[in-house]
Amino acid sequence: WPEWNVWPVARIWTVVLLLGTCLLYCARVAMPICAVSMAERFNWSKRESGMVLGSFFWGYCFTQVFGGYVSDRVGGEKVLLLSAAAWGSMTAFTPILAHFCSQPILSMTLARFLMGLLQGVHYPSLASLCSQKVVESERGFLMSTVGSGSYLGTLVIGGAGSLMLDLYGWESVFYVSGLLSVLWAYCMWKYLLKGEGPIITLESLGSGGPQSKLSKRHWLRLFKQPAVCAVIVTHLCTASTFFTLLSWLPTFFKDTFPDAKGWVFNVIPWLVAIPSSLFSGCLSDHLISQGFDTASVRKLMQFFSMGVSSLFTLLLCGKTTFPWAVAFVSATMGLTTFSHSGVSVNVQDLAPSCAGALFGVMNTCGAFSGVLMVYFSGYLIEATGSWASVFALITTVNLLGLCTFLAFAEARRVDIDSSKGRHHNIHI
């Protein structure tokens, strides 16, 4: 591995990982975009469409911890490469599966579940890669840049996917996003890893590579640390509110402003999210390099992400016009991205030796609570007949997570035996 502080190499990797995350989301969002056309083609009810779309998250929950654990052992880049080749192929084969199976509803639910399984390793292996190869003062930039790939991917597939859907039919969306992902994996393997085999052997899993083996006792001690629990709870809150907004906003706009143009509210919030995510990363790294306390900077970012964004969510509860509603949603989405340089990077401050696996634990909790909160929001809308209840719920969950983080978060390492490293951290 080249040294990361060599400017061009580090920047090339940043761009490559950004592209990979962008394609990850193109492949992921292909299904929701084509869902309506597929439902017409195969005569699915709303409930059946929901079943196909929801099955992704159940798969997504299962491989998070495993992906992080393997990445901590053998290196995140190998895991990223292998998984991208797999979910890329899976996406490209989706239309073939749909047409050649007698029960498309079953094959599609299974395909989405597998997609979730394969994509679940992406973020934990990124966290692992970042904690092993990147210095503390540059992590915010890398994670927020690569994180903004998710908004970029949603944007690209929202625009280009809708066009392809109208011109060439829904199959084309899967073929294009799937093949591009496989191409990305091939180029990364050929030019960046110089064709080294991404072979993960059982010996390398056992030997623990750069990381020492983590015992059960070690994990128990980690989870007893208030800072670690705070990170998990905060990420759980921020992920579940994000999933809820992501899932229900299009319906909110359709219900509240039936005449509004779809692309306006599907595109503008993400256009705001990309620069704000990049800005938060640059800002946090700048503050740390200026000598501000790392923990305080992480807390400040999280305050913007969950505190200030909640104000804009609350503003949606009242009567608004369409332009104002779009503005409030864009502000909420833009500010939410600040957690990329808050809680998402804080894992790497706390436990570099097992950041991948720990991030996997956080993401699993986030995905589970996200699924539950999306369901619960649907129930709330039906029960109360108003959207205010959902926005109030989102605000409550956000503030809960924020208070936890502000109270307990730290930025010192907690994964090494504290008796050995204690005297380094005494502040007089």
Side-chain angles (χ1 to χ4, degrees), residues 27-40 42-60 90 94 97-98 103-117 170 174 371 375:
R28 184 183 298 186
V29 183
M31 192 66 129
I33 280 185
C34 302
V36 179
S37 310
M38 292 175 79
E40 282 169 8
F42 301 116
N43 305 320
W44 294 343
S45 67
K46 277 274 183 290
R47 213 186 69 228
E48 287 173 325
S49 295
M51 187 170 95
V52 172
L53 291 170
S55 58
F56 176 87
F57 288 104
W58 297 116
Y60 194 64
M90 187 77 227
T94 302
L97 278 175
Q103 289 285 331
I105 179 82
L106 287 179
S107 67
M108 287 301 94
T109 305
L110 190 65
R112 286 303 282 175
F113 179 73
L114 278 173
M115 240 342 235
L117 281 179
W170 59 270
F174 287 100
V371 174
Y375 281 131

Side-chain angles (χ1 to χ4, degrees), residues 24-177:
L24 176 93
Y25 265 77
C26 286
R28 184 183 298 186
V29 183
M31 192 66 129
I33 280 185
C34 302
V36 179
S37 310
M38 292 175 79
E40 282 169 8
R41 169 78 176 71
F42 301 116
N43 305 320
W44 294 343
S45 67
K46 277 274 183 290
R47 213 186 69 228
E48 287 173 325
S49 295
M51 187 170 95
V52 172
L53 291 170
S55 58
F56 176 87
F57 288 104
W58 297 116
Y60 194 64
C61 294
F62 283 116
T63 47
Q64 298 277 342
V65 183
F66 171 74
Y69 176 81
V70 175
S71 301
D72 289 338
R73 290 270 182 279
V74 301
E77 65 283 358
K78 290 181 183 173
V79 180
L80 278 173
L81 181 66
L82 285 172
S83 65
W87 54 254
S89 319
M90 187 77 227
T91 310
F93 277 112
T94 302
I96 301 167
L97 278 175
H99 285 302
F100 289 104
C101 278
S102 52
Q103 289 285 331
I105 179 82
L106 287 179
S107 67
M108 287 301 94
T109 305
L110 190 65
R112 286 303 282 175
F113 179 73
L114 278 173
M115 240 342 235
L117 281 179
L118 294 167
Q119 290 206 344
V121 302
H122 186 88
Y123 279 105
S125 55
L126 266 182
S128 171
L129 182 71
C130 190
S131 72
Q132 287 176 29
K133 312 275 195 242
V134 189
V135 293
E136 185 180 54
S137 62
E138 287 179 14
R139 280 179 197 157
F141 176 74
L142 182 91
M143 282 306 268
S144 62
T145 307
V146 173
S148 70
S150 58
Y151 314 117
L152 189 63
T154 310
L155 249 183
V156 167
I157 198 78
S162 313
L163 277 176
M164 287 193 293
L165 186 68
D166 296 342
L167 294 172
Y168 308 110
W170 59 270
E171 293 90 347
S172 63
V173 183
F174 287 100
Y175 291 141
V176 171
S177 56

Side-chain angles (χ1 to χ4, degrees), residues 41-352:
R41 169 78 176 71
F42 301 116
N43 305 320
W44 294 343
S45 67
K46 277 274 183 290
R47 213 186 69 228
E48 287 173 325
S49 295
M51 187 170 95
V52 172
L53 291 170
S55 58
F56 176 87
F57 288 104
W58 297 116
Y60 194 64
C61 294
F62 283 116
T63 47
Q64 298 277 342
V65 183
F66 171 74
Y69 176 81
V70 175
S71 301
D72 289 338
R73 290 270 182 279
V74 301
E77 65 283 358
K78 290 181 183 173
V79 180
L80 278 173
L81 181 66
L82 285 172
S83 65
W87 54 254
S89 319
M90 187 77 227
T91 310
F93 277 112
T94 302
I96 301 167
L97 278 175
H99 285 302
F100 289 104
C101 278
S102 52
Q103 289 285 331
I105 179 82
L106 287 179
S107 67
M108 287 301 94
T109 305
L110 190 65
R112 286 303 282 175
F113 179 73
L114 278 173
M115 240 342 235
L117 281 179
L118 294 167
Q119 290 206 344
V121 302
H122 186 88
Y123 279 105
S125 55
L126 266 182
S128 171
L129 182 71
C130 190
S131 72
Q132 287 176 29
K133 312 275 195 242
V134 189
V135 293
E136 185 180 54
S137 62
E138 287 179 14
R139 280 179 197 157
F141 176 74
L142 182 91
M143 282 306 268
S144 62
T145 307
V146 173
S148 70
S150 58
Y151 314 117
L152 189 63
T154 310
L155 249 183
V156 167
I157 198 78
S162 313
L163 277 176
M164 287 193 293
L165 186 68
D166 296 342
L167 294 172
Y168 308 110
W170 59 270
E171 293 90 347
S172 63
V173 183
F174 287 100
Y175 291 141
V176 171
S177 56
L179 291 171
L180 281 176
S181 306
V182 175
L183 187 68
W184 174 80
Y186 174 75
C187 291
M188 174 170 153
W189 172 70
K190 189 105 172 86
Y191 299 109
L192 279 179
L193 299 179
K194 302 286 184 280
E196 287 170 32
I199 310 303
I200 296 175
T201 57
L202 289 172
E203 295 93 309
S204 66
L205 276 179
S207 69
Q211 270 34 60
S212 53
K213 227 177 181 156
L214 296 177
S215 60
K216 216 176 208 166
R217 215 186 79 249
H218 181 98
W219 277 101
L220 278 174
R221 213 186 69 238
L222 262 188
F223 288 128
K224 280 181 187 155
Q225 298 276 354
V228 175
C229 295
V231 164
I232 294 172
V233 171
T234 308
H235 187 81
L236 182 148
C237 294
T238 197
S240 51
T241 53
F242 180 73
F243 279 138
T244 308
L245 284 170
L246 197 65
S247 307
W248 284 112
L249 277 177
T251 318
F252 163 71
F253 279 112
K254 284 256 183 331
D255 282 1
T256 321
F257 311 104
D259 313 329
K261 289 268 184 289
W263 65 267
V264 177
F265 55 81
N266 281 335
V267 167
I268 291 179
W270 305 112
L271 275 178
V272 175
I274 295 168
S276 93
S277 176
L278 297 176
F279 171 72
S280 76
C282 293
L283 179 67
S284 74
D285 286 358
H286 176 70
L287 290 174
I288 290 172
S289 63
Q290 290 294 306
F292 284 92
D293 175 45
T294 308
S296 310
V297 175
R298 304 284 185 242
K299 286 178 180 177
L300 176 72
M301 293 298 146
Q302 212 50 38
F303 174 71
F304 278 115
S305 169
M306 298 175 98
V308 184
S309 75
S310 295
L311 285 177
F312 291 102
T313 316
L314 277 179
L315 286 170
L316 285 167
C317 293
K319 281 241 171 290
T320 52
T321 59
F322 180 64
W324 278 112
V326 172
F328 293 152
V329 167
S330 303
T332 302
M333 280 303 185
L335 286 162
T336 302
T337 64
F338 275 57
S339 70
H340 283 304
S341 37
V343 69
S344 299
V345 196
N346 194 225
V347 201
Q348 299 162 28
D349 303 330
L350 292 173

